[in-house]
Each structure stands twice: as C-alpha cells, then as structure tokens.
C-alpha cells in the first residue's frame, strides 16, 4: 500500500501523485459508491499498486478531509488564489465577491490577484486598494511582462492553493510561469485518455515542491452562492464584521435600517460602494431563494 494525493479525476479514473514524482492511474473501489463518497481532487489517499511499470492502482481509502469545496470540486485546500484581470476581460466584481463569500463560508483564506496591469495600471491599482480596504491581501502584476511576481512562490510554499477565476484572465499563463512542466504533465495524462491539450477543462493539481501543490481549475462565468440564510450574509464581509454590534439595531442587515454603522462607514469612504452594492444584490438573491425555494 502507498499514500498519495489525487491530482486529477476524469471519467472514473483518478491520477494519484505519490509525493515523490510518480503518478498512478487508479480506479476507486466500490466501497466509496456504497458510502456515497466521491473522491475529489486534493484528497489524500491510500492506494494499492496493481502494475508498477504501467503505474496502475486502486484507491482503497480516502483519508479524513480538512475541508471540501463544491465549486471548484476540491478537498484539503489551504488558501485560494483568486485571479481577475484589470482589463480584457473587464473585471466582474459581483462574480469576484460571490467567490470571496463562498471562501469565507468555507473558512478558506483568499489572496486576490489582478493580472494584466500593463493594460490598465490605473484601474488595477484602484481594484488593489478597493480589496485591501475590505481586508483582503491583494496583488497586482503582469504575467506578460513578468512584473510583480517575485513574491508569489513564497506565498504558495508549503500550502495547497486553489487557483480560480474567469476564463481569459491568465490562469494558464500563471501556471506555466510557476510550473513550466505543467504542459508536459497535462500532456502525459491527456495521452493516456486520448485527449489533446487545450484550455483547462478539469480541476487539476500540480506538484510544485515538497508540501506545495497548486490546483488549476476551469474558468467560470457564474457562481451560485451556498444556501445560507440571507440574514447571515453580512458575517461573510470582513469589513462589515469589524462593525458588528455598532449599529442601532441588533441584527441590522445594513439595508434600510437607520443609524447603521456600515452605511455610516460607507458615507465616510471606509466601506467601498461597489462591495456594498454587491452585498445588497446578493442579499436580495438569497432572500428570493428563501421565499420561492
């Protein structure tokens, strides 16, 4: 028996990295179906080797998960690297805030990255400051010009990081910068399953160095919030949470209530209007879901 981490799952096959550089193509035993437990990318596993030369095996055990995400479907994530572009495509901040709320619910720390600073440095700097004000670590860089990337590897070291964001923002370029062998690894797996190398279609984990993994995920253009009570949404905005208990009314949802500390901070510029307006939209969405669900 060996231990390893699932780096990719396609059509019932799971590709398990043994921590030393070898990848095994495995099937999951029927016991997982009986337990209604589906293996996820990022799962730590115990597997038996069926053919060492061909790298074939069976997963016999999934070790306890620290956490798991539905979208992207991953397990044992230490942090999220959320990538948007300063321009081309223009950043959809409602989508970004949805993702941040999702990570807050799962208690997974986020690092926000704005790529393509070379296309619009002014807008990139504005976005950087907007999210730093909200309480998030934010980074501005240009992969095309290899600017602002010097501290990124240290940020990832010793962690399993999920890299996510819309299509076209440079996730694949960043992956190739951080791990030039990624194309080669993708190609070797694709050769086994008879598929070519294209834009990322599946969640895939890459081994960067000891105890350091980076999850590449398909781009997304929409994201549905977890099914939480609308009244709890405010707890997943860090800048609101700092003001909790300072409103006139207990349980203030920072909408139409008078003497609201969040709206006061909004008027003083301590809370960003774009974030606040997205909060109201998401609140109404959750409220409607509760009403008609």
């Amino acid at each position: 028996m060996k231990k390893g981490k699932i780096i990719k799952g396609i059509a019932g096959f799971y590709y398990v990295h043994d921590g030393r550089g070898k990848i095994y193509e495995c099937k999951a035993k029927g016991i997982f179906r009986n337990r209604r437990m589906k293996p996820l990318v990022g799962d730590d596993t115990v597997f038996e080797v069926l053919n060492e030369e061909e790298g074939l095996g069976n997963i016999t055990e999934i070790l306890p998960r620290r956490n798991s995400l539905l979208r992207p479907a991953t397990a044992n994530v230490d942090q999220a690297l959320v990538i948007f572009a300063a321009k081309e495509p223009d950043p959809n901040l409602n989508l970004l805030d949805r993702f941040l709320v999702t990570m807050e619910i799962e208690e997974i720390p986020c690092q926000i990255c704005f790529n393509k600073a070379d296309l619009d440095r002014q807008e990139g700097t504005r976005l950087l400051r907007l999210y730093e004000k909200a309480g998030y670590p934010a980074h501005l860089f240009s992969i095309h010009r290899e600017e602002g990337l010097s501290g990124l590897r240290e940020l990832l070291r010793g962690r399993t990081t999920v890299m996510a964001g819309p299509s076209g923002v440079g996730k694949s370029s960043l992956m190739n910068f951080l791990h030039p062998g990624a194309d080669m690894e993708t190609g070797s797996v694709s050769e086994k399953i008879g598929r070519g190398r294209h834009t990322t279609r599946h969640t895939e984990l890459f081994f960067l160095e000891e105890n350091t993994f980076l999850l590449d995920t398909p781009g997304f253009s929409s994201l549905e919030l977890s099914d939480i009570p609308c009244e709890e949404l405010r707890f997943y905005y860090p800048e609101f949470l700092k003001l909790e208990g300072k409103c006139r009314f207990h349980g203030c949802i920072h909408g139409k209530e008078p003497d609201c500390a969040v709206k006061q901070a909004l008027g003083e510029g301590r809370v960003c209007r774009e974030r606040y307006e997205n909060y109201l939209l998401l609140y109404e969405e959750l409220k409607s879901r509760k009403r008609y669900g």
Side-chain angles (χ1 to χ4, degrees), residues 6-293:
I6 296 176
I7 63 167
K8 192 170 186 175
I10 298 177
F13 289 95
Y14 299 93
Y15 297 87
V16 180
H17 193 288
D18 69 353
R20 292 184 291 274
K22 185 163 183 176
I23 299 171
Y24 293 80
E25 182 180 87
C26 298
K27 294 283 284 185
K29 289 210 163 183
I31 187 172
F32 300 116
R33 286 194 299 273
N34 297 337
R35 295 175 182 172
R36 296 183 179 179
M37 184 179 190
K38 183 179 180 180
L40 295 175
V41 172
D43 269 332
D44 295 311
T45 69
V46 176
F47 66 98
E48 59 181 352
V49 177
L50 301 179
N51 187 314
E52 183 66 47
E53 185 177 344
E54 294 185 16
L56 302 177
N58 276 335
I59 296 172
T60 60
E61 184 182 355
I62 296 174
L63 301 178
R65 293 168 177 162
R66 299 194 307 277
N67 56 43
S68 63
L69 294 173
L70 181 62
R71 181 156 186 197
T74 53
N76 301 316
V77 173
D78 295 312
Q79 65 178 353
L81 199 67
V82 191
I83 303 173
F84 277 68
K87 192 175 183 180
E88 295 183 14
D90 291 338
N92 181 339
L93 298 189
N94 183 279
L95 183 60
L96 174 51
D97 288 344
R98 286 171 181 271
F99 194 88
L100 294 177
V101 168
T102 299
M103 294 298 105
E104 291 286 348
I105 291 170
E106 298 296 335
E107 298 183 352
I108 294 174
C110 283
Q111 302 277 345
I112 303 174
C113 298
F114 294 105
N115 184 28
K116 304 187 183 181
D118 53 303
L119 297 183
D120 194 336
R121 190 165 298 277
Q122 183 177 353
E123 176 64 5
T125 301
R126 185 187 77 83
L127 294 170
L128 179 80
R129 290 172 178 166
L130 188 157
Y131 282 92
E132 284 180 336
K133 182 186 290 187
Y136 288 99
H139 313 271
L140 178 64
F141 53 70
S142 168
I143 300 170
H144 176 66
R145 294 187 179 177
E146 294 192 5
E147 296 174 353
L149 297 165
S150 58
L152 204 50
R153 284 190 175 88
E154 187 58 38
L155 191 69
L156 304 176
R157 185 163 289 130
R159 299 178 176 91
T160 294
T161 304
V162 57
M163 182 169 61
S167 298
V169 298
K171 297 193 306 298
S172 296
S173 298
L174 180 59
M175 173 62 78
N176 290 331
F177 172 81
L178 292 167
H179 183 39
D183 279 341
M184 189 182 303
E185 289 181 27
T186 301
S188 65
V189 172
S190 296
E191 190 175 335
K192 276 189 175 181
I193 62 175
R195 297 187 184 179
R197 283 172 283 176
H198 300 290
T199 301
T200 305
R201 294 179 179 178
H202 306 279
T203 300
E204 184 166 1
L205 185 151
F206 292 94
F207 176 80
L208 301 186
E209 58 181 82
E210 186 178 3
N211 298 321
T212 305
F213 292 88
L214 184 58
L215 280 154
D216 194 12
T217 63
F220 56 85
S221 58
S222 63
L223 184 65
E224 187 172 289
L225 286 181
S226 299
D227 194 14
I228 59 170
C230 57
E231 297 84 3
E232 292 183 7
L233 179 63
R234 69 186 193 275
F235 298 134
Y236 303 113
Y237 274 67
E239 65 271 48
F240 295 1
L241 204 54
K242 290 189 296 184
L243 300 169
E244 188 68 22
K246 297 184 179 179
C247 299
R248 177 180 173 185
F249 296 103
H250 177 71
C252 179
I253 56 100
H254 317 313
K256 297 179 180 178
E257 301 93 332
D259 300 326
C260 169
V262 168
K263 287 193 291 184
Q264 181 179 341
L266 177 68
E268 295 171 355
R270 292 183 287 119
V271 166
C272 297
R273 182 160 296 279
E274 285 158 297
R275 286 269 294 169
Y276 177 74
E277 289 176 352
N278 282 337
Y279 163 78
L280 294 180
L281 289 172
L282 297 182
Y283 177 87
E284 288 301 322
E285 179 182 315
L286 290 170
K287 186 177 179 181
S288 297
R289 194 187 302 173
K290 179 180 178 181
R291 185 184 303 130
Y292 300 113

